[in-house]
Amino acid sequence: MTFHTIFAWGLAFVLGHVGVVFSAMEKEPFGLLASAAIVNLLIAAVAVSTRSNLVKSGAAPSLIESTTARYMGFIWLWGAVALVLVYVLVLSWREWTHFSAAFAGAGVLCLGFSALLAKDASKGRDDPTLLRLGRYLGIGQLVGMIATIAGLFIDPDKEFLYPVDNDWAGNGIFLFGALALAIVSAHALIDRKKDSP
């Protein structure tokens, strides 16, 4: 990644977090949803576009999957930081620590997996076992994100449009993080299936 790319992502992340925190302070669920949606869907769109371009250019599978895992890590980590900021600075919710720790752990795992694949790509090799593991993890993540989205809409206690219970902000962050991860995972799985003989 170039300096300009890192700066652009840093700016997008910071502005998204400012929007989420300000919306939580003002009890503006639509502002929070918009902030979470813009950042998460931007990451998903760039992930899909970058992956498609790498595939078209004939890049090595390890490089393609490394890039995809990196963007997944960005989504998880953005959500973790958003939860920490909202529930340390503005609102109070007992379960936020569990979710933020899980998000951070998933984000670090994605970035670590990305680094392993990038190392293989730099050496001009592809590890079939690692690539297969990535595929299984992608399937598991897609199923989990679909279940999360469905749960947010089915469970009457999971409110994100009305700031009544303090978990409304977390639910908004969950919704668009899960949607973005589902998009990236689904695209990667469909892409791999098209490439398979």
Side-chain angles (χ1 to χ4, degrees):
M1 294 181 97
T2 65
F3 170 78
H4 290 79
T5 306
I6 293 169
F7 178 78
W9 278 120
L11 184 62
F13 279 30
V14 168
L15 291 175
H17 286 129
V18 168
V20 163
V21 170
F22 179 77
S23 298
M25 287 173 60
E26 297 298 316
K27 296 192 184 300
E28 288 288 346
F30 290 103
L32 186 137
L33 289 172
S35 298
I38 289 168
V39 174
N40 283 297
L41 297 180
L42 175 65
I43 298 170
V46 172
V48 167
S49 172
T50 304
R51 182 185 176 91
S52 296
N53 290 336
L54 287 170
V55 169
K56 285 176 189 170
S57 70
S62 291
L63 178 60
I64 295 168
E65 301 309 330
S66 170
T67 303
T68 303
R70 184 174 67 235
Y71 285 112
M72 289 175 178
F74 288 171
I75 295 168
W76 283 112
L77 292 175
W78 187 88
V81 173
L83 288 172
V84 169
L85 290 173
V86 167
Y87 290 105
V88 167
L89 300 177
V90 184
L91 300 173
S92 175
W93 179 39
R94 191 176 54 214
E95 288 87 4
W96 77 267
T97 52
H98 309 301
F99 286 106
S100 60
F103 281 27
V108 169
L109 284 174
C110 285
L111 294 182
F113 191 69
S114 173
L116 284 174
L117 289 166
K119 189 176 177 184
D120 280 348
S122 70
K123 293 179 179 177
R125 67 181 186 209
D126 295 310
D127 183 339
T129 304
L130 210 53
L131 293 170
R132 196 176 309 114
L133 176 62
R135 181 174 178 273
Y136 293 144
L137 291 172
I139 292 169
Q141 181 171 260
L142 178 59
V143 170
M145 295 308 104
I146 291 171
T148 298
I149 294 166
L152 285 169
F153 284 103
I154 292 169
D155 188 345
D157 292 333
K158 298 296 181 196
E159 185 56 69
F160 45 79
L161 293 178
Y162 302 99
V164 180
D165 295 327
N166 281 343
D167 65 346
W168 68 270
N171 292 334
I173 294 165
F174 299 159
L175 175 64
F176 284 103
L179 182 59
L181 286 165
I183 290 168
V184 177
S185 300
H187 179 263
L189 291 168
I190 291 166
D191 215 29
R192 283 185 206 119
K193 197 164 187 180
K194 283 192 297 189
D195 285 346
S196 62

